[in-house]
Amino acid sequence: MTSGVGAPTRASISARTLRTDRWWLPPLLTNLGLFAFVAYATVRSFMGKWYWVEDYGYLTPFYSPCLSESCLPGSSHFGTPLPELPGWIPLGFVALPFLLGFRLTCYYYRKAYYRSVWQSPPACAVAEPHASYSGETRLPLIVQNAHRYFFYVALLVSVVNTYDAVVALTHGLGVGNLILLTNVVLLWAYTLSCHSCRHIAGGRLKHFSKHPVRYRAWTLVSKLNVHHMRLAWTTLGTLVLTDLYVMLVASGAISDLRIF
Ligand code: FES
């Protein structure tokens, strides 16, 4: 090994690590959390049912926007420009690749899965198993540089999800509405706390004093940005919770608690 911990300039230690604490626990928990979300989202995306509650206008974010003629009547808030789809194509396929791309290339998630899945390195002072390191200069990791473009699409999807939540309010108010609204607020917080958003707001400026509006925007985004990791995990949880609630109400397993 000629790079990393095996480089000739590094101390020659044969043990992978001398750490005796439970350094493997955070990567393990990250793996479990990410795997649970991916498994749930995959199953739900391919299920093709229980995504729309007609009586209350609840649409799960996993199927939004629903643009195909296969979508249940009323669930297509933006029309059905696409024909019927075979069952193996998820009904929310228009937004899903971009949302996945946005999350996968997110600076925080990179840190999380580079350590847990890639093990590069799994923890401080623990040698990584790879012999060489090419960073994000080659395929597939060079795609990470597209994060800022995924950000623009994620903004659009947040607008779509907000529209869905507002449309549901025209049917009255129930616990489902509160869940949809909470999910949307947190999605906005996660999206706006993005590092790319922070750069768009205040990057490439020499003098903040000459750009007070951008300075104000950058200050606000920076305050959110501090919580980006927490928001990344919280929104995974709220996405699952929102979808689960819509699924349970749509399938008749539970009734929505109506407030008025
Ligand atoms: S850095 Fe996490 S969403 Fe952009």
Side-chain angles (χ1 to χ4, degrees):
M1 199 185 283
T2 55
S3 63
V5 292
T9 51
R10 303 289 293 270
S12 174
I13 301 172
S14 57
R16 189 180 178 201
T17 181
L18 300 177
R19 285 180 66 167
T20 54
D21 62 334
R22 292 191 294 172
W23 58 266
W24 44 267
L25 190 57
L28 176 67
L29 293 178
T30 304
N31 267 326
L32 290 176
L34 293 178
F35 178 77
F37 178 80
V38 169
Y40 179 88
T42 305
V43 170
R44 275 298 285 147
S45 297
F46 285 96
M47 217 178 224
K49 59 181 179 180
W50 300 331
Y51 56 88
W52 166 245
V53 182
E54 189 172 8
D55 289 350
Y56 309 133
Y58 297 159
L59 177 65
T60 167
F62 287 179
Y63 284 72
S64 176
C66 210
L67 300 173
S68 141
E69 282 172 9
S70 307
C71 300
L72 288 172
S75 64
S76 302
H77 295 150
F78 301 92
T80 54
L82 302 173
E84 291 216 0
L85 298 172
W88 50 270
I89 299 184
L91 290 178
F93 83 102
V94 174
L96 279 176
F98 295 103
L99 288 180
L100 208 61
F102 184 52
R103 297 258 169 181
L104 276 178
T105 58
C106 163
Y107 288 33
Y108 165 68
Y109 284 110
R110 284 188 221 182
K111 176 194 141 189
Y113 67 74
Y114 280 5
R115 287 189 182 177
S116 56
V117 181
W118 234 262
Q119 305 218 332
S120 182
C124 290
V126 179
E128 60 180 291
H130 311 283
S132 61
Y133 175 76
S134 60
E136 293 168 351
T137 58
R138 294 193 206 144
L139 278 173
L141 295 186
I142 198 169
V143 176
Q144 305 285 25
N145 296 300
H147 183 65
R148 73 198 74 170
Y149 304 111
F150 285 122
F151 166 75
Y152 293 121
V153 183
L155 271 186
L156 208 60
V157 175
S158 295
V159 171
V160 168
N161 287 165
T162 306
Y163 184 79
D164 295 340
V166 171
V167 165
L169 282 173
T170 61
H171 293 71
L173 186 67
V175 170
N177 294 95
L178 301 180
I179 292 175
L180 285 175
L181 287 170
T182 305
N183 178 55
V184 155
V185 169
L186 288 167
L187 277 183
W188 273 110
Y190 169 67
T191 307
L192 293 178
S193 69
C194 167
H195 294 65
S196 289
C197 179
R198 188 166 175 259
H199 181 73
I200 290 164
R204 302 174 81 89
L205 291 180
K206 286 204 172 117
H207 307 288
F208 269 138
S209 57
K210 291 186 180 155
H211 303 273
V213 175
R214 288 188 64 184
Y215 176 63
R216 181 85 187 122
W218 176 82
T219 309
L220 290 173
V221 172
S222 297
K223 282 183 183 158
L224 274 178
N225 182 260
V226 174
H227 305 288
H228 195 58
M229 178 185 86
R230 204 167 306 139
L231 287 165
W233 282 108
T234 307
T235 48
L236 280 193
T238 52
L239 275 169
V240 169
L241 183 71
T242 307
D243 177 76
L244 191 63
Y245 189 84
V246 172
M247 179 174 75
L248 291 175
V249 175
S251 66
I254 61 169
S255 304
D256 185 42
L257 191 62
R258 304 304 290 170
I259 299 166
F260 62 80

